[in-house]
Amino acid sequence: MVAATRIAMSDISRQRRLDARLEADGLTRQHTVGQAVEHYLQRMNIRDNGLRWTAFSRGVKLDNKQPLGEIAETETDWTVMPEVSAGSR
């Protein structure tokens, strides 16, 4: 496995995109996926509106507690979106 050196995060419409290089853009290999999502929301000025946000890579939900140093190079293109369930308000 080749560890990631950069993470590309975007919203579902791909209009708000952030390419972050690890160790250079405020994220380190010790940060978690959840912290990277928070970093994305902050940098893109997106309000969380009390929702829990998560990242998906190649259609698979990423574990918010996984350190970025354990992310494979093949899992570096993320779609960030809020978790929504039917019937929730």
Side-chain angles (χ1 to χ4, degrees), residues 13-61:
S13 67
R14 302 244 181 234
Q15 291 182 356
R16 294 182 177 182
R17 187 166 177 86
L18 174 66
D19 289 312
R21 290 180 300 143
L22 298 184
E23 311 297 336
D25 291 326
L27 293 172
T28 66
R29 298 173 54 77
Q30 290 75 33
H31 280 97
T32 64
V33 169
Q35 291 170 321
V37 169
E38 289 175 14
H39 179 78
Y40 168 79
L41 294 175
Q42 186 177 41
R43 292 280 303 272
M44 297 292 107
N45 293 318
I46 300 172
R47 294 185 204 156
D48 66 9
N49 292 330
L51 298 172
R52 222 167 51 172
W53 288 68
T54 193
F56 291 82
S57 176
R58 301 185 313 170
V60 177
K61 180 180 172 184

Side-chain angles (χ1 to χ4, degrees), residues 1-7 9 22-23 27-37 55 57 62-73 75-76 78:
M1 173 182 90
V2 177
T5 57
R6 67 155 196 83
I7 304 291
M9 295 176 269
L22 298 184
E23 311 297 336
L27 293 172
T28 66
R29 298 173 54 77
Q30 290 75 33
H31 280 97
T32 64
V33 169
Q35 291 170 321
V37 169
S57 176
L62 299 173
D63 179 1
N64 279 344
K65 295 180 181 178
Q66 183 178 15
L68 297 180
E70 295 177 8
I71 299 291
E73 189 66 40
E75 298 178 346
T76 59
W78 299 358

